[in-house]
Amino acid sequence: MNTFGERFRFTSFGESHGPAIGGVIDGLPSGLHIDEEAIRVELSRRSHPVVRLEDGRIYPLPGGSSRAADEPDQVEWLSGQVDGVTIGTPLAFLIKNTHARASDYDAYRDVFRPGHADYTYFVKYGIRDYRGGGRASARETAARVVAGSIAKQLLTQRGITINAELTQIGKTTDPARFADEIQHAQADGDSIGGIISCRISGVEAGVGEPIFDKLQARLAYAMLSINACKGFEYGSGFAGVQKRGSEINAFSGGMLGGITDGTDIVFSCVFKPTPSIALPQMAKDIEGNLRQISIHGRHDACVAARAVPVVEAMAAITLVDYLL
Amino acid sequence: MNTFGERFRFTSFGESHGPAIGGVIDGLPSGLHIDEEAIRVELSRRSHPVVRLEDGRIYPLPGGSSRAADEPDQVEWLSGQVDGVTIGTPLAFLIKNTHARASDYDAYRDVFRPGHADYTYFVKYGIRDYRGGGRASARETAARVVAGSIAKQLLTQRGITINAELTQIGKTTDPARFADEIQHAQADGDSIGGIISCRISGVEAGVGEPIFDKLQARLAYAMLSINACKGFEYGSGFAGVQKRGSEINAFSGGMLGGITDGTDIVFSCVFKPTPSIALPQMAKDIEGNLRQISIHGRHDACVAARAVPVVEAMAAITLVDYLL
Amino acid sequence: MNTFGERFRFTSFGESHGPAIGGVIDGLPSGLHIDEEAIRVELSRRSHPVVRLEDGRIYPLPGGSSRAADEPDQVEWLSGQVDGVTIGTPLAFLIKNTHARASDYDAYRDVFRPGHADYTYFVKYGIRDYRGGGRASARETAARVVAGSIAKQLLTQRGITINAELTQIGKTTDPARFADEIQHAQADGDSIGGIISCRISGVEAGVGEPIFDKLQARLAYAMLSINACKGFEYGSGFAGVQKRGSEINAFSGGMLGGITDGTDIVFSCVFKPTPSIALPQMAKDIEGNLRQISIHGRHDACVAARAVPVVEAMAAITLVDYLL
Amino acid sequence: MNTFGERFRFTSFGESHGPAIGGVIDGLPSGLHIDEEAIRVELSRRSHPVVRLEDGRIYPLPGGSSRAADEPDQVEWLSGQVDGVTIGTPLAFLIKNTHARASDYDAYRDVFRPGHADYTYFVKYGIRDYRGGGRASARETAARVVAGSIAKQLLTQRGITINAELTQIGKTTDPARFADEIQHAQADGDSIGGIISCRISGVEAGVGEPIFDKLQARLAYAMLSINACKGFEYGSGFAGVQKRGSEINAFSGGMLGGITDGTDIVFSCVFKPTPSIALPQMAKDIEGNLRQISIHGRHDACVAARAVPVVEAMAAITLVDYLL
């Protein structure tokens, strides 16, 4: 359940307020020089999201006050490498939780925050870990970014590149206005959704599986496993409902019958607005009563912004699993 | 690769022009009375799709000339049941291919039909089975419908119902005009896309898994494994990008953190227009040359119509896998 | 549960008294010419076991009156091949049950035969399929032999050969006396055990996995899945308990740390005497009472004799799974 | 490859001379109070093996100078529990390697020790980690003991007990003489084999799976995955070859057709003598030349002694996987 993949097997562990999060990557070839700098860059894209304008300029997106921004995300290797080179055994790593502040969550100790997994985890496990979502926290995605960064290294060796970017926030598709959209939502005590599009280049034709393990099916599975992701589409996607065959037959999105056709793989996924909002909302408490709550603390108004490197990471882990 | 699920394990086999298609269901409890009539009804929904209007009237959708409509789809049981009752061993079945007409495909013997898996299978397997898509044919979904029908029986015992329906064809969301949309496309020698929405009722809170095997992730994986499906969304879906947290926190789509919250599970998926169209289009042949082709034969103009029971089947198989 | 392997995935189905037994092989490369004659030879080794003496002479072992000897075992292909050549899709096959005589088992309708799975299946599935063991019958191994024969073809292409033979029956290790041993047991209304040794040649060093999926662990798993097998050993085996390191370090049995070392893989497995014996024995009936029974019918006195090609088949399926 | 089990999924990581070994247990129910004292006791049985005589007296077995005896094996929890109670998320732990002395292995830097996995790992991974076996070291089994101890807690809740013990060392089956056997071998600069027998009590009838995932098959797989294990037998075992059906039908070893019958599960496994011996032996070096070596350092003369809690651990992990 906490393992992804068949050949490149990534097992994730850790809660947001426990000692550490981390992972074990099994199936990694020996002899890979781990690019620690690349991992740091990816982790930094998650903690300090930016947007690149058409003219090449880069500017930061709001999110500076959140825990992700404060946490240094230092990776410690437990096994699987000697002097930075993999030896074919499981690569285990951890990232200590240094900025966990359980007290932030005291106010929600006995209430189920709407739109969060508080209630569903409680029903499933019978335990109420009120401290910031525990395992359901987006903090877990930092471990995915580490694993994804290593998967990317393997893909780079094969000439494959993965690039995801925000293509819509709220109603706007103009990157120059993304920061404004987020700030408006935040100023209103509210939050806003986003769409991330991803392009994978350099995959040769013939990669994937027919029937159930279609590459698009595994990509959808990977994306929908990311917190707050509510949808996945590729190629002609949802807009294709209005199209005719004669219009779209030439645009596959890179996969036909579950197998790559040699063109770029192109997909998008949508992220809902952060459910943690300052605006008052009604929530059920542990005794079944409705109560008005207002969620303050270190939250992003637009989770999509941080999810960009996570989308790339999950795409990389998914793809490398077919190629090993 | 041709097996779906962990506990209710469905293995699918068969090509559209071989002796038979079929499947093996492993993990089925003993003592289940197989409802053969229910299976026939589901198979008939696939071969003769209908639409239900708001006033309750039902009318057929175009597709009468296709192979699916002519094929009787007779299920033969090979193992796993005695006198119609399961005994806990693998339930194997086959459906003979009685209406396969390989000659229908003679014209495409050495050309890769655009939008089909002809080229990608050729690259992957090095073999050109030109006869109607072979394994990639939608005929394979008949086996899924059989397995799904049995999964549904298990779900019905738990008070769970699954209902999918066409909610959009082309630009129209009015069921009364679906047949027209299809006929117009067909009359133009073209094809048209469709959206299917599905509602699952009666699932109690606490079903699903966190992190990678989130229920929504498995549902997306299941849907994207269906021929021509190009996207999946649940809850607020893609429209949610324009929403604020305060607007959508109350609408989960039935799952939070990968686990059901006790409300109805609601998702949609989009199907592209059939790539087989009569209008002339350019296609690569086996020698790499471009050639103009025009595809005639027994094809539906809107594959979404036949996919409705397949969506239900895959949803049922996905869900029952968490419940066994 | 009824699937073996990760890359060469063999799913087995069928009961001894249902319409058919069979299997689905998933993961088979395309382009393999199926050697039907080789499959017939392997099936015949199972139905008509022989022993080869040191001087090369071959003579049949007793077992002529059993069902296995009478059943023709005709393989019918359902999918996965065109004109005898695999196409990369699941290879499904069936063998019809033509000689099932349920009436043979009328006497044991409500009694649990000692040493059989009658009781354990009844407890697990709540259903009493008294007709010859149903799914637990050794008839299921015919499907394994088919799959194993195809696995062997893939291994032969890589220069790998697998040879199993009876090395002990009862107290004797002299093949010339095996038939006598069996006949003596049979004449006494009793049965007798046997040991099969297997040698795999031509596997290069470096095949296998460390830790849990050690090749020896997977071989043990494969052998212990065969009916009546009670033990597995390789290399120095059980006799090695009395040995010192200096005596056996040079003899690995072909695997060290789970990975082949380039020498022949050598292992043995032991099969218990058939539990079906004519001698009177006490058995529990379905109401919990003890009753004296005497089992007559088409049974072998030494199941090990028929298991030789099954051991080879399972070894081939196990090994090919590491090599694909 | 480094994960064992389907429901209780144990992933092991770590090399003997890296920073730490450890594991991740996925699928653990929430609400289990982790018995840390029980884990310490199990780890101590591995580091300081003892034998219990028939009169109840306990005396230590030789092995005091080995690394296992010196290493404290302190378990640190990384995730999956709060205040010693599991919360349903992956339970990750590590044990730091405090007594790793790579210099012990300087002499074997470019030689493949006979009977070890040095050569096979080198061929498979292309990397020579000469420092004490790395991942192939028996140190890895400490992580198994931790996971097994937790599995045992779950089994204890169901009234199931697992007891393994040494039943033979060299030629003797008298526990009072085990220490002597080991010391004699050690004094000769040699090593000696051992047999461990295990009894599992309290498992109700009906646990297990037919065909491939037979309980005995999974147990064999589990045992053969332990370092130095060369064979597995249950019930009548290898001795059964000389038996007749009438003699052994009443003794199943606890499993029939892969499923428990309610009697005690009884199996044995054999461990070869440690390949690390002081006596001079010929070994291939990395250039392919034969060289005489004599292995000194912290090695046990009889690895079977330390393997007793490992056998129990793997049995517990195997069994609990069927029961969750």
Side-chain angles (χ1 to χ4, degrees), chain D residues 173-187:
Chain D
T173 57
D174 173 6
R177 288 168 48 205
F178 286 171
D180 293 348
E181 279 289 316
I182 297 173
Q183 270 150 358
H184 288 159
Q186 206 158 14

Side-chain angles (χ1 to χ4, degrees), chain B residues 225-254:
Chain B
S225 81
I226 304 174
N227 304 41
C229 178
K230 302 295 275 191
F232 167 91
E233 62 177 6
Y234 81 102
S236 51
F238 275 90
V241 64
Q242 303 192 14
K243 296 287 173 28
R244 291 204 160 178
S246 55
E247 296 174 276
I248 64 154
N249 269 0
F251 178 46
S252 66

Side-chain angles (χ1 to χ4, degrees), chain C residues 89-319:
Chain C
T89 60
L91 186 71
F93 64 90
L94 59 78
I95 303 174
K96 291 205 179 107
N97 288 324
T98 53
H99 276 55
R101 295 201 314 233
S103 59
D104 282 4
Y105 296 91
D106 277 354
Y108 321 116
R109 186 183 274 274
D110 49 9
V111 71
F112 302 117
R113 293 168 301 160
H116 278 285
D118 295 354
Y119 174 67
T120 59
Y121 270 57
F122 175 70
V123 173
K124 185 173 178 71
Y125 298 112
I127 279 187
R128 180 78 180 89
D129 184 3
Y130 60 90
R131 303 163 310 172
R135 182 77 179 138
S137 160
R139 172 137 186 80
E140 183 266 339
T141 59
R144 302 191 189 199
V145 168
V146 174
S149 181
I150 287 166
K152 270 187 183 179
Q153 275 195 251
L154 293 169
L155 294 175
T156 303
Q157 292 178 349
R158 294 162 190 258
I160 297 169
T161 58
I162 300 183
N163 288 292
E165 55 179 357
L166 282 166
T167 47
Q168 185 168 348
I169 287 183
K171 290 186 169 60
T172 185
T173 57
D174 173 6
R177 289 169 47 205
F178 286 171
D180 293 348
E181 279 289 316
I182 296 173
Q183 270 149 358
H184 289 159
Q186 206 159 15
D188 295 345
D190 215 336
S191 60
I192 189 76
I195 289 179
I196 294 172
S197 295
C198 184
R199 176 176 295 266
I200 308 177
S201 302
V203 185
E204 60 184 4
V207 176
E209 290 294 333
I211 312 302
F212 300 125
D213 270 340
K214 288 184 167 82
L215 179 51
Q216 62 266 39
R218 296 283 296 181
L219 283 171
Y221 170 70
M223 296 308 139
L224 267 295
S225 80
I226 304 174
N227 305 39
C229 178
K230 303 294 276 190
F232 167 91
E233 61 177 9
Y234 81 101
S236 52
F238 275 91
V241 64
Q242 302 192 15
K243 295 288 176 15
R244 292 203 159 180
S246 56
E247 295 175 276
I248 64 155
N249 269 359
F251 177 48
S252 66
M255 300 166 283
L256 285 169
I259 299 164
T260 55
D261 63 6
T263 66
D264 282 2
I265 296 170
V266 180
F267 68 86
S268 296
C269 37
V270 63
F271 290 81
K272 71 175 182 181
T274 324
S276 296
I277 56 174
L279 281 176
Q281 47 182 343
M282 299 308 293
K284 260 200 185 141
D285 67 19
I286 210 163
E287 269 129 34
N289 303 317
L290 278 175
R291 188 197 296 187
Q292 199 189 60
I293 63 165
S294 171
I295 301 176
H296 299 282
R298 301 177 295 175
H299 304 293
D300 298 310
C302 178
V303 281
R306 287 200 197 295
V308 175
V310 185
V311 164
E312 289 185 8
M314 292 309 295
I317 293 171
T318 301
L319 188 56

Side-chain angles (χ1 to χ4, degrees), chain A residues 188 190 213 221 225 244 246, chain B residues 188 190 213-214 221 244 246:
Chain A
D188 295 344
D190 215 334
D213 270 341
Y221 170 71
S225 81
R244 293 207 159 175
S246 55
Chain B
D188 295 344
D190 214 335
D213 271 340
K214 288 185 165 83
Y221 170 70
R244 291 204 160 178
S246 55

Side-chain angles (χ1 to χ4, degrees), chain C residues 1-4 10-12 113-117 119-121 123-125 135-136 140 144 168-171 181 184-186 188 190-195 205-214 216-218 220-222 224-253 255-262 268-277 279 281 314, chain D residues 1-4 10-12 113-117 119-121 123-125 135-136 140 144 168-171 181 184-186 188 190-195 205-214 216-218 220-222 224-253 255-262 268-277 279 281 314:
Chain C
M1 290 92 88
N2 290 278
T3 298
F4 191 96
F10 168 52
T11 299
S12 159
R113 293 168 301 160
H116 278 285
Y119 174 67
T120 59
Y121 270 57
V123 173
K124 185 173 178 71
Y125 298 112
R135 182 77 179 138
E140 183 266 339
R144 302 191 189 199
Q168 185 168 348
I169 287 183
K171 290 186 169 60
E181 279 289 316
H184 289 159
Q186 206 159 15
D188 295 345
D190 215 336
S191 60
I192 189 76
I195 289 179
V207 176
E209 290 294 333
I211 312 302
F212 300 125
D213 270 340
K214 288 184 167 82
Q216 62 266 39
R218 296 283 296 181
Y221 170 70
L224 267 295
S225 80
I226 304 174
N227 305 39
C229 178
K230 303 294 276 190
F232 167 91
E233 61 177 9
Y234 81 101
S236 52
F238 275 91
V241 64
Q242 302 192 15
K243 295 288 176 15
R244 292 203 159 180
S246 56
E247 295 175 276
I248 64 155
N249 269 359
F251 177 48
S252 66
M255 300 166 283
L256 285 169
I259 299 164
T260 55
D261 63 6
S268 296
C269 37
V270 63
F271 290 81
K272 71 175 182 181
T274 324
S276 296
I277 56 174
L279 281 176
Q281 47 182 343
M314 292 309 295
Chain D
M1 289 94 88
N2 290 278
T3 298
F4 191 95
F10 168 52
T11 299
S12 160
R113 293 167 302 161
H116 278 286
Y119 173 68
T120 59
Y121 270 57
V123 173
K124 185 173 178 70
Y125 299 112
R135 181 77 178 137
E140 183 266 340
R144 302 191 190 199
Q168 186 169 346
I169 287 182
K171 290 186 168 60
E181 279 289 316
H184 288 159
Q186 206 158 14
D188 295 344
D190 215 335
S191 59
I192 189 76
I195 289 178
V207 176
E209 290 293 334
I211 313 301
F212 299 125
D213 270 341
K214 287 185 167 83
Q216 62 265 39
R218 296 283 297 181
Y221 170 70
L224 267 295
S225 80
I226 304 174
N227 305 40
C229 178
K230 304 293 277 189
F232 167 92
E233 61 177 8
Y234 81 102
S236 52
F238 276 90
V241 64
Q242 302 191 15
K243 295 288 175 19
R244 293 205 159 177
S246 56
E247 295 175 277
I248 64 154
N249 270 359
F251 178 46
S252 66
M255 299 166 284
L256 285 169
I259 299 164
T260 56
D261 63 6
S268 296
C269 37
V270 63
F271 291 81
K272 71 176 181 181
T274 325
S276 296
I277 56 174
L279 282 176
Q281 47 182 341
M314 292 309 295

